[in-house]
Amino acid sequence: MSGPVSSGSALDRAFRLQALGSSVPRELRAGLTTFLTMSYILFVNPQVLSAAIHIPNAFVQLLMTTALSAAFGSLMMGLVARYPFAQAPGMGLNAFFAYTVVQGLGVPWQTALGAVFISGVLFVLLSVLGARQAIVKAIPLGLKFAITCGIGLFLAFLGFRNAGLVVANPATLVGLGAVTSPTVWLALVGLLISSVLLVRRVTGAVLWGILLTSVLAVLLHLPVYAGGPNGALQAFPGFQGRLLGVLDAPVWPSGLFLQLDLAGALGLGLLNVVFTFFFVDFFDATGTLTGLAQRAGYLDREGNMARPRRTFAMDGLAAMFGALMGTSTTTAYVESASGIGEGGRSGLTAVTVGVLFLLSVFFWPLAAVVPAAATAPALILVGAMMLEGVRQIAWDDMSEAVPCFLAIVVMPLTFSIANGVSLGVISYCAIKLLSGRGREVSGLLYAVAVLLLARYIWLTAG
């Protein structure tokens, strides 16, 4: 394993690598791992948003906007907050943007972008005023460990889904996928490779697992890549028609840049849309950042992280920038845990991710070499690592155990980090209060629980 950098290096002074026990090679390797694990967003986000945004050359423009937004968010998180947390347009929020707001409610996509921008402004204001970090501080330590574990299960579920091991089933909701399919067995081989490398303490085990699995997919011509006829999977199609094989000219997203409609988004009829964008990303990003900070060892004994105002403000700033560029909410990515699992501990990891996203506007065909089946094992393994904190929960105290259990299982079962955090907080406050131990809970957490409960009642009424 690479040793710490010298105390006199510029990178050490900027990112405190020696103090964190890290090194430049380790941080770069962690950044590359995170990028490979989340690079699917370069192709998935345009696919989702192009269903709502109809402009010339929409897919390529959306790909460029996705890359630039992810680069900005990750660079800000690394340079200003100095944490190894990458950011990009969030999955789930992009689907809400495209299918619910634009297609379902008939809201123009420019107005929906305005709503995303306003929610980002609210994030920044609450972060600067200290409201977001006050809420995080009010969450009890056991529930913070539960949030981390829930995110771990959420990651593992993503991995199983990407691998094709878990599929939808009309009778049982979910079921076992076709284990003989190339996608499934390639993912299982990748899981075996990465697991063995981890057990043997090979430096960069997760990254090597991704790369070796991708090489297998290409050499064996396995049909594990998207883009085939009628949506079928295909073997790697190669780099035909591109400069030097892997280069493609970037396209400025002129049809998306600064197209947001703020005046329309401020209309009374769209306040519920603004609120939904704000609520979901607030608790999704807050839970993600808290869980990642715990995994990276950045929480103190009380479960609080350093530099919370900067960290949460960078999340809001990324959402604002993404809206200006023409994409749905940009937020912290749970896949950052893969880089943390590779030893990433400083902002240099996030900066590396940001630079790679910038380069992807030229070299984005290279990202297409890595199929979802190759990154799925990384998500599964990192999810397993994040369950370590489950032993820190007071399982013998049911007023702690039940809310923590709900927070853990609700995340993967509802496919929402925000839902897991919400039900964990609501149940924690309710059980403590009704069991005569209400004084153990802060007044702020009660207020948050009431707001969360009101939102679910509002959604039900709607």
Side-chain angles (χ1 to χ4, degrees):
M1 184 174 292
S2 303
V5 297
S6 64
S7 59
S9 74
L11 285 176
D12 179 58
R13 290 193 298 271
F15 297 105
R16 299 177 58 248
L17 298 182
Q18 188 177 57
L20 295 170
S22 190
S23 65
V24 173
R26 183 186 300 170
E27 297 291 315
L28 297 180
R29 185 173 63 243
L32 178 58
T33 300
T34 297
F35 173 77
L36 289 176
T37 305
M38 62 185 289
S39 61
Y40 68 87
I41 197 62
L42 287 170
F43 308 99
V44 176
N45 194 53
Q47 289 172 355
V48 173
L49 293 184
S50 60
I53 299 177
H54 304 292
I55 57 175
N57 205 14
F59 186 89
V60 175
Q61 288 200 54
L62 284 166
L63 187 149
M64 296 297 154
T65 285
T66 300
L68 293 173
S69 299
F72 177 85
S74 299
L75 288 172
M76 289 299 98
M77 188 64 75
L79 294 172
V80 180
R82 291 183 284 121
Y83 279 119
F85 310 149
Q87 301 197 84
M91 290 296 295
L93 283 166
N94 54 7
F96 174 75
F97 179 102
Y99 304 122
T100 301
V101 177
V102 178
Q103 291 189 346
L105 299 178
V107 176
W109 61 267
Q110 297 91 336
T111 306
L113 287 177
V116 172
F117 183 87
I118 294 169
S119 68
V121 172
L122 293 175
F123 296 151
V124 174
L125 287 176
L126 288 177
S127 300
V128 172
L129 293 174
R132 288 185 76 173
Q133 48 268 40
I135 292 173
V136 173
K137 189 174 182 179
I139 298 174
L141 185 58
L143 202 51
K144 288 177 181 174
F145 279 114
I147 290 171
T148 304
C149 296
I151 291 174
L153 286 183
F154 182 81
L155 271 176
F157 185 79
L158 279 175
F160 285 126
R161 187 191 68 167
N162 292 348
L165 276 166
V166 174
V167 296
N169 186 301
T172 59
L173 297 182
V174 293
L176 182 66
V179 293
T180 58
S181 73
T183 300
V184 171
W185 78 255
L186 180 66
L188 290 175
V189 169
L191 182 62
L192 179 62
I193 292 172
S194 296
S195 299
V196 170
L197 293 177
L198 280 171
V199 172
R200 298 180 70 89
R201 300 184 181 276
V202 173
T203 301
V206 175
L207 176 58
W208 278 115
I210 293 173
L211 296 178
L212 290 173
T213 307
S214 300
V215 169
L216 277 177
V218 173
L219 293 180
L220 298 179
H221 303 286
L222 298 177
V224 294
Y225 294 88
N230 300 320
L233 294 176
Q234 61 178 349
F236 181 63
F239 302 110
Q240 300 94 336
R242 295 192 171 103
L243 182 62
L244 299 179
V246 297
L247 284 173
D248 209 341
V251 176
W252 178 250
S254 56
L256 298 167
F257 181 59
L258 298 182
Q259 294 299 308
L260 67 170
D261 179 9
L262 292 175
L266 288 171
L268 183 62
L270 286 191
L271 289 181
N272 62 326
V273 175
V274 174
F275 176 76
T276 301
F277 275 125
F278 171 78
F279 171 86
V280 175
D281 189 42
F282 182 96
F283 285 97
D284 190 274
T286 299
T288 298
L289 290 170
T290 302
L292 292 175
Q294 193 278 327
R295 174 61 189 160
Y298 272 119
L299 297 186
D300 59 22
R301 293 182 179 179
E302 286 72 41
N304 303 312
M305 73 169 73
R307 306 182 300 280
R309 290 177 189 249
R310 293 188 205 174
T311 306
F312 291 123
M314 290 309 101
D315 176 64
L317 192 62
M320 292 170 61
F321 181 86
L324 292 173
M325 292 301 303
T327 185
S328 54
T329 307
T330 301
T331 186
Y333 252 59
V334 70
E335 283 87 348
S336 302
S338 62
I340 293 172
E342 275 295 304
R345 291 296 180 271
S346 79
L348 184 55
T349 294
V351 169
T352 302
V353 176
V355 171
L356 289 172
F357 269 114
L358 278 179
L359 291 176
S360 69
V361 302
F362 299 95
F363 291 91
W364 62 266
L366 273 178
V369 178
V370 182
T375 57
L379 296 177
I380 296 170
L381 288 172
V382 171
M385 296 175 193
M386 293 183 73
L387 285 173
E388 178 185 13
V390 73
R391 57 187 174 186
Q392 303 295 332
I393 298 171
W395 294 108
D396 56 344
D397 181 352
M398 295 307 291
S399 69
E400 299 277 338
V402 173
C404 290
F405 172 77
L406 290 175
I408 291 172
V409 300
V410 165
M411 287 188 197
L413 292 181
T414 65
F415 211 72
S416 169
I417 294 173
N419 281 340
V421 175
S422 299
L423 292 184
V425 169
I426 292 171
S427 61
Y428 186 87
C429 292
I431 292 173
K432 290 287 188 181
L433 180 63
L434 296 176
S435 60
R437 298 168 58 180
R439 293 184 178 180
E440 297 178 12
V441 184
S442 72
L444 178 59
L445 198 63
Y446 279 123
V448 171
V450 169
L451 289 175
L452 294 174
L453 186 60
R455 176 187 178 263
Y456 282 113
I457 293 173
W458 181 22
L459 288 177
T460 301

